[in-house]
Amino acid sequence: MTEIREINADQTKLGAAALLKLRPRWGTVDALVDFVDTDLRPRGYRLVGVFTEADDSAVSVLGFREAWHSAWGHHLYVDDLITTPAARGHGHADLLMTWAKQEARRLNCEAVHLDSGVGPDRAPAHRLYMRHHLAITAHHFTVSTDSY
């Protein structure tokens, strides 16, 4: 049986192993848990996971926040979406995207937004987003503060 449930602050470790696959910059599960609970959650970040009978930890996670921007209005922004390598191909990310769209409706958001990296390894993620009717509507530009 597969269950989708929100991962609260005292449970962040249940989703951190999966999230660390997407965000390796944090190095360890403990460092990632600290960042999520100390820096992200106070700013509205929420974490949802897919759990199976075979695993105590989430096999797929979606990190998101409710946000307001002058360009986009009231929206749900997906920060993170990842399925552990061993659990891929079973529709877990599809379930989480469907859940996110339903949560956006529940929150009376106008849309769901996310940014996604580019490259050949990102093609499966992009196919998922297209299946869920997300359109490519902008280029995302960035500059490191170390470079100027």
Side-chain angles (χ1 to χ4, degrees):
M1 182 170 125
T2 300
E3 176 187 18
I4 297 174
R5 67 176 189 262
E6 189 146 359
I7 300 169
N8 297 315
D10 61 338
Q11 305 169 321
T12 303
K13 200 170 233 178
L14 295 176
L19 193 52
L20 194 58
K21 301 286 186 202
L22 182 65
R23 306 294 181 216
R25 70 178 292 180
W26 299 105
T28 67
V29 165
D30 288 339
L32 182 60
V33 167
D34 182 61
F35 176 67
V36 167
D37 289 346
T38 303
D39 293 28
L40 294 182
R41 286 187 189 273
R43 291 173 173 85
Y45 182 87
R46 294 168 56 195
L47 193 60
V48 174
V50 173
F51 294 84
T52 65
E53 290 177 5
D55 295 285
D56 291 333
S57 294
V59 297
S60 189
V61 293
L62 178 125
F64 70 100
R65 66 189 79 224
E66 181 180 8
W68 292 260
H69 287 93
S70 59
W72 302 333
H74 181 206
H75 61 283
L76 187 146
Y77 185 83
V78 176
D79 288 82
D80 309 298
L81 177 58
I82 185 73
T83 301
T84 59
R88 289 183 183 151
H90 298 284
H92 302 309
D94 270 312
L95 291 172
L96 288 173
M97 281 301 301
T98 298
W99 186 95
K101 291 188 297 185
Q102 292 169 345
E103 183 68 357
R105 279 193 200 102
R106 188 187 74 75
L107 295 169
N108 294 313
C109 293
E110 297 172 47
V112 174
H113 286 264
L114 65 81
D115 288 309
S116 183
V118 295
D121 62 320
R122 300 299 299 153
H126 297 163
R127 285 192 298 273
L128 169 72
Y129 307 146
M130 296 293 196
R131 275 196 313 274
H132 282 271
H133 307 286
L134 278 79
I136 300 170
T137 60
H139 291 281
H140 179 91
F141 296 91
T142 187
V143 63
S144 169
T145 55
D146 295 341
S147 67
Y148 57 86

